[in-house]
Structure formats: structure tokens, C-alpha cells
Amino acid sequence: MEDKIITTAAPTASERKSLRLMIFIGVFAVGFFLYSMLQRSNISYFPLYVLLMITLFYYVFKFLHEWYHYFSISYHPPPAATRSYTVDIFTTFCAGEPFDMLEETLTAMQKIRYPHTSWCCDEADDPQVKALCARLGVQHVTRTIKKDAKAGNINNALQYATGEICLVLDPDHVPVPGIIDEIIGYFEDPGIGFVQIVQAYYNQTETMVAKGAAQQTYQFYGPVMMTMNTYGTAQAIGANCTFRRAALDSIGGHASGLAEDMHTAMQMHAKGWRSVYHPAILTRGLVPATMSSYYKQQLKWSRGTWELFLMVFPKLFSKFTWRQRLHYFTLPFHYLSGLIFLINFLIPVVSLCTGYIPLQMDILSFMLAAFPLFCMGMFIRHYVQKWVAEETERGFHVVGGILQIGTWWIHSVGLVYTLFRKKVPYIPTPKNDHDSLPLRLSMPNILVALISFAAIVYGFWHDYTPYTVFMAVLAFMQIVFMVFIFSISGYVRENSKLNHIATKIKEKNGLIIRTHGFVRKYSVPLSIAVIIFFVFGYIEKQRLPAYLPKPLPQLQVFYRGNSIGGEEPATEAATRLLPAMLRNDISIVSMMVAHNADGSSLPDTAAIKKISASGALPLLQWSISANPARQGDTATLQAIAAGQFDSSIYKLARHLADLQQPIFFQPMIPVPLSDSDVAVTQRTRTQYLQAWQQLHSLFAAAGANQVIWVWSIPPTDSIAQYFPGSAMADWAAVQF
């Protein structure tokens, strides 16, 4: 452990103004996003919509919770101490923890410059530890009645200690010599109950688990805790917290529980004691380096935090300030993320397997709603990393995010255990755990990956639409996340190809680092640019014509259609067939109309109205041929492009415009295809494009702006003759 002390600079007035401006823009983005998502017209399949909205509200809550903290970020250096204090410094030891780790910590404790007494609270009553304490001059204390885990161990030592100030260190956290000098001045204020410092680590690059676990703490042990100074809610953490002995005595010593640090802070705040966060790295310790130790830690924290929320918070509620009430009410919802991620897993799987989708929104509308919020979340989070202790702790924290996703079932189990009052033993986070995670504990994530893969296969097997592709992409991302979690759980050999690829990726992250630096540096102008772009895009969106009708409840991913007509008049066929079609979830009803040169053959208006009134959409398949006896020539294309049918086509277009309703329109224009003569095929494609452009211009001139154009590979009189595989692929590539 280096003696160097790293202290975060206090935010300037201009930095606070910039941050608040960004937060105001972010709140505006939140409001517009929720307004857009809550429109009734966006609801597709209601159960999936409800699940989606639950997750979206949770993420919005997370944004607002963060921004609430950042709004009043502050740091007030301690005043100079006017007198000397008696100080006790405690650390604990449990059977099985590394001896050399304890030796390093005790040695560092004895090197602390401020006069103090060091204590080793030895749960194992280990002779080797006794000898170490005797050699270093550390007070050794143990107990025979072991209750309340770590809190009880500290409280036992407090019976013998007499200092006015008590610093509690975990056995893996190595302090710098000046740790007490840095924070002792805060206790000049008699109302300060405890002072918390940054929790930093020296093994965060050891494994991907260690990296991810550390990344999850950077924002909290920085800008979030700095704001808690302002709100009187600075949180006590199990390590590196310095207490006023009188404050501890006023609540009967360290409070017990799986989250004993949070419980202790709650009891002190309820007694009226205030807390301070000092943003300086004065110790470095260990973060869980294996999935096994990480899971144990997260289960303990989840179960302990929910226990405090349900059993302690209601009892202390009336004794808190309103800021503290809000703080202790919202803090446990971090561990609700497990259930939220489960819902996120289910949405694409259910959609792919059933064909239902949660939202009925076009891509442009969704992007206009979500893009500003996504950007502001990223910009604000990067901007406040000015107050993360070290440059190496700043970035996108992707590994930490994926690791949290993979912990969904652990956090969920913590909540379930709380509701059913199932106890979880207090197990110190393992300090020397090098074992791979038992395979059974990876089964929840393996099942998520397998079910997602099966849903993708099933979805594509039954239909292939843009919605299917979008949901498949979401499901595939779930697979990628779960594979990543599996790969860092101890099953993959260090010399494996997967680890080799991961190493190469880490070595070539320069672009990511530069991007992060750019976003952090220009967060404020980027925020302003995003909101300007959004407002402009929203205004332009309102000018677009409304081609599509309101979403129909039957229209999901897998569209079902049928046709009417033939020899029977369209109106009669619609009257007879529509009830049965609707019972079978038919969403699109097609009818064929043959073009007549004088324009006398027009679609049956009554049949179209009847189809629309039934809740389906009409599809008009319009066939045209300059010479019905010669389906294989290009006469029809040339005639349309040359304007020979303009009068009759315009009459048809006016007829459709007068309907004043959406209608699918599919021109059925026969053309010749050749698999041997490339020049013929290319020329025909050009003529086909010209014919379509002429059709579209006539419909536009007629005001038929609610026509939804349907393109398909041109029909011929013989599929086998005119649609060989390569020719079909060639035509499929036509773009208009």
C-alpha cells in the first residue's frame, strides 16, 4: 500500500451549474419519454406492454435517483483539529482467512502516525494470530459466546477499548499512515457520529469478476456519496468507517444483521447523529475476485438490505429527516434489479414464441422518445466521473453492468428469502477463494441462454419480420451476456482461446478510452446538441403524413391474412366470410381487382368499408396487363412508364383517395425474367422501376396519401419458367 493520499477535488460553482443544467435537460427527456410510452395508441399486446412499462419505470426511477443525488454534490474539507483525541483501531479475523493478509493489515495499522491503540478481534482465537499481535504490539481479543457475527465481534472488543474515536477496518484493507490525520478534524463538530471514506481496491485487475465488482462501486464511492453530505445521509460502509464512541454507545454498539453497516447508520441517524463522507483513498482492500465469492457477497447484501427495509425502516421512520426517509426507502430498490432483469429476459422470449409484441410504434417515434433519455443518462454519468477518485476508475463500466445482469437470480433470491423469512448465515466475503463456481449455481443463467436460443429458432421458423429480427437481437444479447458470465465463472482455462480473445480485446481498447474521455469532456455541449436535435426531429415528425392507421389488436408479429372475391361479388363475399375470418385472427383481407383501360373496373367501396369496419385492413391486389395473351413481354411496363394508362390509373387513385382510410395496395405487373440473359434482366428491372415511379407519382397527384404500398417480386404466368433461383434473388435486391 502506497503512502500517497488521493483526495477528490470539490466541485466548483460553474461545474455545479453545468451539472444542474444537464439534469434539467434529463428530467425533460424523462417526461417526454414517459409521455410517449404511455400513449394508448402504442399498446400492442397488453400483458407484454405492462411488463415492458414496469422495466421502463424502474430504469427511469434509477436515473432520477442518481440525478437527485448529483444535483447537490458537495465536499467540505475537515477543519483543523484543536485538540488530541484518543483513538482505537479495530480489525477482525475469522478462521480460514489468509494469515499474511492479516499480517499486512496489522503492520500497516501500527504504522498509522496518529496516537492510537490497535485491536485484532480474533473469532478463531488462533495461537498464530496471538503471537503476531504480541510481536506487533496489537491488542488481541476474542470471545467464547459468538453472536451477531462481525457486529458482535466488534462490540466485544468495545468492552475493553476506551478511545473517543473508533476506526473499523476489514482485515484485507491496508491503511496509509496518515488516515486518522485526514479525518480527525470532522469530529470537532460534536454532532458528527461517523466519517466514511472511499472504498478502493488493489486487486481490481486480477480477474474480470474483480473488475466488474469494482466498477459497480465507483459511482457510489464518489459523486453519490459526496451528495449524501448535503442531504445528511452519508452511508456507513463495513470497512474504513470512523465512529465517535459516544455515538456508538448511544445505540448500544454496532447494530447486527447481514447489512450491519447500513443498520448501524440507520440507528445513528435516527438518534440525530450526522455523518460525513470524506472523498479520499486512505486504504485499499480486496474486491471479490471469483464468481463464487461475489455471489456470496451479493446474496448477503440483498437479503440484509431487504430485511432492514421491511423490519427496521418502519420502526425508525418517524425519527428520520425527510431526506433520510427518502434515502432509506429508495436504497433497497437497487436489489430489485434482479426481478427487472428477469422481466427483460421474458419479453423477447414470449414475443418470439407467441408473435405478440409489447409496443406498436414505428422506429422513428421510438428513437425520438428514447434517444434523448439514453444520451442524457450517459452524459450525466460521465460528467460526474470528475469526482471519481482515480482516472482508472472512469469509463463505461461495461463489465460491471454485465456482471450485475448475471446476478439477477441472486438478488431475486435475496428478496424471496426476506419475504419467506429464510435466514442466510453471515459469511465474510471470501478473501482467498480461487475455486470455480459450482455448476448448479450457473444453471439459472444457462437456462436463460438456452431458452433465448430456442425462442430465436422458433420465432424465425414461424415467421421472418422486422419485429422478429428486433426481438431476436434482444434475445441474442441475452445469450451473449450469459456466455460472458459463464466464461468468467471459473470454467474456462486461462490458456483457452476465449481468454486469448478477451485479452486481445482488452489490449485494443484505445478507441473506447478516447470515446469515454471525449464524452466526459464535452458532456454539456453534447447535451445541448442532443436536445436541439430532438426538438428538430420531433417537429419534423409531426409534419410527416399519417400513412398508417391506429394499431389493431390483431396485428402482432405473425400476420394472418385471407382473401375474398373470385366469382362472388366482393360485398357479398365480405359479408359471408368476414365473421369466420375474424374468429381466426385474420388481420389482412385481400381482394383482387383487374385493371380496365377505361377505368371502369374499380374496387368495391362497400366491401372495403366492411373489411375496415370489422377491424381488419384491406389489401387491394391490382392486376394490369397491356396484352393478357403475352405475359412474358415488357409491353405493360413500357405502357405504364410512357403514360398510356395515366387516365385510368389516376381514376383508380382518386377512388382510393376518396375512401379516406388506409389501404394496402399491391400492383401485380407481369414481367419477363431470364436466368441466361443478364442484359434482358437488367433492362427489365429498369423498366419495372420506371413503371413503379409513374404509378406513385399519379397516386400522389390524386391525393391518395393513405395508400400503403406493397412490393413483391413481379408475377408471371409460370413460376417454374420465370422464377429460377438466381433471378428471384436478383429481383429481391431492387430498391426504390
Side-chain angles (χ1 to χ4, degrees):
M1 175 71 187
E2 297 180 2
D3 292 349
K4 180 182 178 183
I5 295 174
I6 300 173
T7 304
T8 304
T12 64
S14 62
E15 287 174 335
R16 274 196 292 266
K17 289 179 181 178
S18 296
L19 179 55
R20 290 180 176 183
L21 172 63
M22 295 171 66
I23 290 173
F24 282 129
I25 297 175
V27 171
F28 172 78
V30 166
F32 183 79
F33 177 73
L34 292 180
Y35 170 80
S36 301
M37 293 296 104
L38 291 173
Q39 297 300 307
R40 183 179 295 273
S41 59
N42 291 333
I43 301 175
S44 183
Y45 183 58
F46 188 72
L48 279 182
Y49 173 80
V50 170
L51 291 178
L52 177 64
M53 292 310 299
I54 289 173
T55 66
L56 293 181
F57 269 105
Y58 177 80
Y59 294 129
V60 165
F61 165 78
K62 292 277 284 185
F63 277 133
L64 294 177
H65 186 255
E66 273 194 22
W67 299 346
Y68 157 78
H69 281 92
Y70 299 153
F71 193 81
S72 298
I73 191 167
S74 67
Y75 164 50
H76 303 289
T82 58
R83 70 178 186 87
S84 297
Y85 295 83
T86 54
V87 176
D88 290 307
I89 302 178
F90 301 91
T91 194
T92 60
F93 179 78
C94 294
E97 291 185 319
F99 179 81
D100 56 347
M101 176 190 74
L102 177 67
E103 182 178 17
E104 183 180 13
T105 299
L106 291 179
T107 301
M109 285 168 56
Q110 289 298 76
K111 291 181 179 179
I112 292 175
R113 290 190 293 264
Y114 199 94
H116 67 280
T117 302
S118 297
W119 298 81
C120 178
C121 308
D122 179 11
E123 285 282 67
D125 196 15
D126 189 308
Q128 189 178 10
V129 173
K130 283 184 179 179
L132 173 65
C133 291
R135 175 166 59 86
L136 295 176
V138 174
Q139 299 295 314
H140 179 273
V141 61
T142 188
R143 57 179 177 158
T144 54
I145 301 175
K146 299 178 181 179
K147 63 175 184 177
D148 296 337
K150 178 182 177 180
N153 197 10
I154 297 292
N155 289 336
N156 177 64
L158 287 174
Q159 298 179 77
Y160 310 103
T162 59
E164 300 168 275
I165 305 298
C166 310
L167 169 60
V168 178
L169 298 170
D170 272 358
D172 59 302
H173 278 263
V174 182
V176 299
I179 182 171
I180 299 297
D181 301 277
E182 274 285 307
I183 53 89
I184 197 68
Y186 287 115
F187 291 99
E188 291 288 299
D189 183 341
I192 298 299
F194 65 86
V195 178
Q196 179 63 52
I197 62 173
V198 176
Q199 189 139 303
Y201 315 100
Y202 58 80
N203 72 325
Q204 57 196 22
T205 59
E206 182 180 332
T207 66
M208 292 298 283
V209 174
K211 181 177 182 178
Q215 285 181 352
Q216 292 174 2
T217 69
Y218 294 153
Q219 298 285 132
F220 183 79
Y221 293 116
V224 172
M225 285 282 271
M226 286 176 70
T227 300
M228 291 181 184
N229 279 325
T230 309
Y231 300 151
T233 57
Q235 191 65 44
I237 309 301
N240 314 322
C241 193
T242 307
F243 298 92
R244 187 187 297 273
R245 177 62 186 267
L248 276 177
D249 290 344
S250 71
I251 63 170
H254 270 274
S256 60
L258 293 173
E260 85 290 335
D261 45 6
M262 181 178 171
H263 191 189
T264 301
M266 292 176 74
Q267 295 290 350
M268 283 193 174
H269 286 147
K271 282 286 187 179
W273 294 100
R274 289 180 287 112
S275 55
V276 172
Y277 175 71
H278 184 64
I281 297 179
L282 304 175
T283 72
R284 289 188 188 273
L286 294 173
V287 69
T290 67
M291 195 64 73
S292 179
S293 57
Y294 175 74
Y295 276 177
K296 291 174 184 176
Q297 179 198 71
Q298 295 298 308
L299 178 59
K300 180 178 68 175
W301 287 357
S302 176
R303 175 67 175 87
T305 302
W306 283 117
E307 178 75 14
L308 294 177
F309 178 75
L310 295 177
M311 305 305 296
V312 176
F313 177 69
K315 297 176 182 178
L316 300 179
F317 181 82
S318 61
K319 300 177 181 179
F320 292 138
T321 66
W322 76 266
R323 293 278 198 184
Q324 290 167 348
R325 291 170 186 171
L326 182 63
H327 172 75
Y328 287 116
F329 176 79
T330 57
L331 204 59
F333 285 89
H334 168 76
Y335 297 103
L336 194 62
S337 61
L339 293 179
I340 298 301
F341 288 135
L342 175 60
I343 295 174
N344 283 340
F345 298 150
L346 290 175
I347 289 174
V349 169
V350 172
S351 181
L352 288 166
C353 292
T354 64
Y356 294 129
I357 56 175
L359 282 179
Q360 198 69 269
M361 291 180 73
D362 61 85
I363 297 297
L364 180 58
S365 296
F366 182 78
M367 289 298 296
L368 282 173
F371 182 72
L373 178 57
F374 170 79
C375 288
M376 292 313 303
M378 179 177 64
F379 294 158
I380 293 174
R381 193 172 178 85
H382 277 68
Y383 187 82
V384 299
Q385 287 183 7
K386 292 172 179 283
W387 300 287
V388 169
E390 296 181 283
E391 181 63 37
T392 55
E393 296 179 352
R394 297 162 186 164
F396 291 100
H397 301 161
V398 175
V399 178
I402 298 176
L403 187 61
Q404 186 177 355
I405 292 173
T407 318
W408 67 272
W409 70 275
I410 289 289
H411 290 164
S412 300
V413 166
L415 175 59
V416 172
Y417 277 9
T418 304
L419 297 176
F420 287 94
R421 315 304 303 147
K422 181 175 175 61
K423 292 186 177 181
V424 173
Y426 186 99
I427 303 174
T429 303
K431 309 300 190 300
N432 58 348
D433 183 5
H434 300 292
D435 297 330
S436 61
L437 185 70
L439 186 60
R440 68 180 184 279
L441 297 183
S442 289
M443 287 310 297
N445 288 337
I446 292 174
L447 286 175
V448 167
L450 292 177
I451 292 172
S452 299
F453 178 76
I456 293 173
V457 173
Y458 183 88
F460 281 137
W461 183 268
H462 283 76
D463 203 0
Y464 185 89
T465 69
Y467 290 117
T468 312
V469 174
F470 181 74
M471 289 297 174
V473 169
L474 295 181
F476 179 74
M477 289 175 62
Q478 294 173 182
I479 296 173
V480 172
F481 293 156
M482 296 308 126
V483 169
F484 176 82
I485 296 297
F486 187 83
S487 70
I488 65 175
S489 297
Y491 310 114
V492 180
R493 299 188 310 275
E494 290 188 8
N495 60 350
S496 69
K497 183 174 292 187
L498 187 63
N499 271 335
H500 178 71
I501 295 173
T503 301
K504 288 294 184 183
I505 293 174
K506 286 191 289 184
E507 291 174 353
K508 298 183 181 300
N509 62 355
L511 178 61
I512 296 175
I513 294 174
R514 289 193 296 273
T515 301
H516 157 68
F518 176 83
V519 171
R520 176 154 47 99
K521 184 177 181 180
Y522 298 105
S523 290
V524 177
L526 285 173
S527 299
I528 297 173
V530 162
I531 203 65
I532 292 174
F533 173 81
F534 157 76
V535 171
F536 174 78
Y538 181 76
I539 293 173
E540 290 299 309
K541 177 68 167 59
Q542 305 313 304
R543 297 176 180 174
L544 293 177
Y547 288 105
L548 295 174
K550 291 183 178 180
L552 301 175
Q554 298 95 328
L555 283 177
Q556 306 297 338
V557 176
F558 304 139
Y559 299 101
R560 297 169 63 88
N562 211 328
S563 61
I564 61 174
E567 299 296 328
E568 186 178 13
T571 303
E572 296 177 12
T575 303
R576 182 174 62 84
L577 298 175
L578 278 175
M581 290 183 179
L582 296 176
R583 285 195 298 271
N584 288 285
D585 292 332
I586 298 300
S587 302
I588 301 175
V589 179
S590 67
M591 50 191 297
M592 181 73 74
V593 175
H595 177 261
N596 191 306
D598 60 7
S600 60
S601 179
L602 296 174
D604 189 327
T605 301
I608 293 174
K609 293 289 187 182
K610 190 175 287 292
I611 292 170
S612 299
S614 70
L617 276 174
L619 166 61
L620 183 63
Q621 293 180 306
W622 178 68
S623 63
I624 180 172
S625 178
N627 187 349
R630 297 177 59 190
Q631 292 285 318
D633 62 22
T634 59
T636 303
L637 299 178
Q638 295 170 359
I640 295 174
Q644 295 178 19
F645 296 128
D646 280 6
S647 176
S648 55
I649 292 174
Y650 184 83
K651 187 174 181 179
L652 170 66
R654 281 299 311 160
H655 183 78
L656 297 180
D658 291 340
L659 291 173
Q660 292 295 308
Q661 69 171 67
I663 183 171
F664 287 115
F665 182 69
Q666 181 181 11
M668 311 286 284
I669 310 173
V671 297
L673 297 177
S674 173
D675 210 29
S676 58
D677 194 333
V678 176
V680 170
T681 299
Q682 182 60 44
R683 185 168 60 251
T684 305
R685 280 179 28 171
T686 302
Q687 293 171 341
Y688 190 76
L689 177 60
Q690 292 171 347
W692 260 79
Q693 291 172 336
Q694 181 68 10
L695 281 174
H696 192 276
S697 63
L698 291 170
F699 273 65
N705 57 8
Q706 294 196 60
V707 166
I708 306 167
W709 292 81
V710 179
W711 178 85
S712 62
I713 295 176
T716 68
D717 58 346
S718 172
I719 295 294
Q721 178 181 357
Y722 293 110
F723 279 162
S726 61
M728 288 186 69
D730 197 31
W731 274 90
V734 175
Q735 297 184 12
F736 299 96

